[in-house]
Amino acid sequence: DGCLLNVCPHGLSWCMHRERERETERKTKPLMTEFLVKSTIISRYAFTTVTCRMLNRASEDQDIEFQMQIPAAAFITNFTMLIGDKVYQGEITERAKKSGDRVKEKRNKTTEENGEKGTEIFRASAVIPSKDKAAFFLSYEELLQRRLGKYEHSISVRPQQLSGRLSVEVNILESAGIASLEVLPLHNSRQRGSGRGEDDSGPPPSTVINQNETFANIIFKPSVVQQAKIAQNGVLGDFIIRYDVNREQSIGDIQVLNGYFVHYFAPKDLPPLPKNVVFVLDSSASMVGTKLRQTKDALFTILHDLRPQDRFSIIGFSNRIKVWKDHLISVTPDSIRDGKVYIHHMSPTGGTDINGALQRAIRLLNKYVAHNDIGDRSVSLIIFLTDGKPTVGETHTLKILNNTREAARGQVCIFTIGIGNDVDFRLLEKLSLENCGLTRRVHEEEDAGSQLIGFYDEIRTPLLSDIRIDYPPSSVVQATKTLFPNYFNGSEIIIAGKLVDRELDHLHVEVTASNSKKFVILKTDVPVGPQKAGKGVTGSRRPEGDGEGDPNHIERLWSYLTTKELLSSWLQSDDELEKERLRQRAQDLALSYRFLIPFTSMKLRGPVPRKDGLGEAHGMSAAMGPEPVVQSVRGAGTQPGPLPEKPYQPRIKISKTSVDGDPHFVVDFPLSKLTVCFNIDGQPGDILRLVSDHMDSGVTVNGELIGAPAPPNGHKKQRTYFRTITILVNKPERSYLEITPSRVILDGGDRLVLPCNQSVVVGSRGLEVAVSANASVTVTIQGSIAFVILIHLYKKPAPFQRHHLGFYIANSEGLSSNCHGLLGQFLNQDARLTEDPAGPSQNLTHLPLLQVGEGPEVILKVKGHQVPVVWKQRKIYNGEEQIDCWFARNNAAKLIDGEYKDYLASHPFDTGMMLGQGTSREL
């Protein structure tokens, strides 16, 4: 109406004609008939294919553009265009060192550019003939990173118009088991950094989720009406899936396939390491307004999150360096309040002295660590935020990097955040790469505060430092990085490599790391054979000529991770020869595995005539990645589930001196080659003193009984077993151990919980605890005392059976001559047999001729006691060995010092001495 009445100076007919032309243009804009995305994620490695089909309804040729946002960490592996009856196939080739080397088709071309935060945009333009069709197929791969305890897979759903057929399908296969899975509401910007307070309105409309223990299928298939309700322009947003997998406190999840392995290491239930952290905040003039206000608010939140064992300081910098305190401060309510006041009064002014601020922060941290001798038991961090380039002081990028690297010496990790479009992000990226940190970019329109909080959340809880993961050099080659400065809670360490021998049965793995006061050692032998790829595990094509067909997802993962590390090393290196060597290695690997990286280029080959069926599936064998698979990816012939662990073989020989079963005691006297046995019929809940040497070696062992009904037709009214063994070690430092059939709790200042169904070894200042999965726990103290606790489990226990423990003394050299307890009192003694004065002479060397428990009583002389005993046979070591022993009846009344009640402890860690040896009771 406005056109007819007010605007048209050329007359009614002309105006109506233009309106018809505009309407025609709108009607004949190329129509998107289909937009499909399919992702298959196998063990965190994602294969994604995008299919887009368009129709030119106009009576003339039309330019069209296909564009897709992809994650910045992803590698494009394939691109194919169908224009009318012609096929244009993407080919990954070398990129010449000179710029502008990309070969472009005269009218059909592809380009990449930076997209929203964390993404890049892939674009392809083409000309569609009149009344003809076009189809685009794009494939990319990425390894999902674990952050804040979740993997996140994000798919951009931005077809730029409503589509007649729109579908997103994601298949997830995780053989360890899917622990949690959620589909978030659609996001139209990537301001998700905080990870807190996410919209909980649920998945987008039409989303269907089907899952079992190890497999999930998610489909998002909105109708045109549902699309229009979300966004009329077809920009729906990001379809985001977050999930995590089952994991135990152990050496991690190791998977092997066709000669390649991947190791996922993400321990939990560890005490956090103390943080020494300096917050370095840009307060130059360019930070004025919203940026500085949001940053201050975020730092207020972060300061309240610091732990009591942390130390911190604050630096504001512009053309001057303003330090809150010239030393690190303990975290107290007063120091947090004072820090907030200092931040509140920061005002924006002046230039940007990045070098000076970093040098001052590093000096603060180095000074604190040097004077407190806690370098190996804490983590030193700098959180550095700026919105600009260096303008004051040292402004040369290479010198800033060199100065920082020399000052930090690998002991300080620098985490950088760049805000806005004017920041020197390449400098920040290199600062973090070279100093064991991470970097994040915050776009101008985004909330800097929430991004800062989200970034801090990822690093707020360091659990391990100086992590080293070793595999036998004779078994593994070309492994990715195996040294890591820190492990933060909620993240994950991933290593991949090649196996020398594809027929290898077990892969030995050792992890060493520092955690607070402990030096942690984890060891295990992982079953790895036979290794055969399962049906449908097919990444992009293997280079032609090797005759082996498609590789498996673990090989793709290894090549992805290796290429990423080569690119990172290239970025860090300042040596031209080294950079060229790294560039060539990365390029060769990328060409072999069809990765589009900065050193490779995609050329469009064609056109070639279209073959039958290409309209539906051209190029998809390379582009689609693996079909959904449901079988195990650990190896052929096994179903998804926990890997069987090879029992850890203790390095120490177990002696016969033990208590096991209901409970049956055995004491070995090696000098006289005699073995004595006895029973103790205690009550459920009783805590028995087994070894009491608190005053000398500092070691106490107690065992708590659990009751069960007696078997039918038995002579006992009930059975008792040991359900808990507790060990107190008082020297050189106090440590408490509580062992049950399901877990081991080690508390030496920091509490460590180890499940008994995973093999693991931990060590701490003279104390080593080795768990052999579902078999035993070996405790070694100062190298001269060793106990082995056998774990007895029943798949389907009878009413009279209970999961229980057996206690064996493997090495008693370090225990003193004053040692006592039901077992301890015999460790430094000897015994001998005599005939019963009232009985006939009996040849004691022909005992097997007797019936067990029959024959004459003989007298055992031990510790001044004369004890009647009879010959008996007992099974020990979980029934694997039968021994001959001399049995003392009546609850060993004449054998042990005192009586049963003297051996009852008041609590699991009671160290009380008895029988004239003192009465100390303490925790």
Side-chain angles (χ1 to χ4, degrees), residues 116-132:
E116 295 187 30
K117 176 181 177 289
T119 69
E120 291 176 347
I121 298 176
F122 176 87
R123 299 181 191 273
S125 59
V127 176
I128 310 183
S130 170
K131 308 297 183 182
D132 217 333

Side-chain angles (χ1 to χ4, degrees), residues 254 256-257 259 261 471-477 498-509 525-531 634:
I254 299 175
V256 174
L257 209 55
F261 77 91
Y471 313 92
S474 59
S475 301
V476 170
V477 292
K498 293 182 180 182
L499 296 178
V500 174
D501 179 10
R502 290 195 180 198
E503 304 303 317
L504 191 70
D505 291 329
H506 290 81
L507 175 63
H508 183 72
V509 185
D525 288 325
V526 181
V528 297
Q531 311 154 25
R634 298 176 188 266

Side-chain angles (χ1 to χ4, degrees), residues 826-848:
F826 301 109
L827 293 177
N828 294 290
Q829 306 295 329
D830 199 9
R832 62 188 180 89
L833 290 173
T834 66
E835 295 178 349
D836 182 347
S841 175
Q842 171 66 41
N843 184 346
L844 301 177
T845 63
H846 291 70
L847 293 175

Side-chain angles (χ1 to χ4, degrees), residues 5-51:
L5 296 177
N6 302 318
V7 182
C8 186
H10 302 285
L12 179 61
S13 61
W14 186 92
C15 189
M16 292 178 65
H17 175 71
R18 287 297 300 144
E19 189 64 21
R20 281 196 300 268
E21 284 185 347
R22 292 191 190 104
E23 184 66 22
T24 301
E25 287 172 3
R26 283 194 290 270
K27 285 182 180 178
T28 57
K29 177 183 176 182
L31 177 69
M32 184 173 295
T33 59
E34 188 175 72
F35 182 84
L36 308 177
V37 184
K38 185 172 183 180
S39 281
T40 300
I41 304 168
I42 307 180
S43 299
R44 293 77 141 176
Y45 195 70
F47 301 84
T48 302
T49 298
V50 183
T51 302

Side-chain angles (χ1 to χ4, degrees), residues 660-665 678-682 708-721 800 872 874 887 891:
D660 208 340
D662 174 22
H664 301 320
F665 288 77
F678 58 95
N679 295 345
I680 294 288
D681 294 326
N713 305 318
H715 63 282
K716 290 187 176 183
K717 293 183 179 179
Q718 67 174 356
R719 283 186 160 193
T720 51
Y721 304 94
F800 54 85
K872 199 165 188 175
R874 277 237 162 115
F887 179 68
N891 263 9

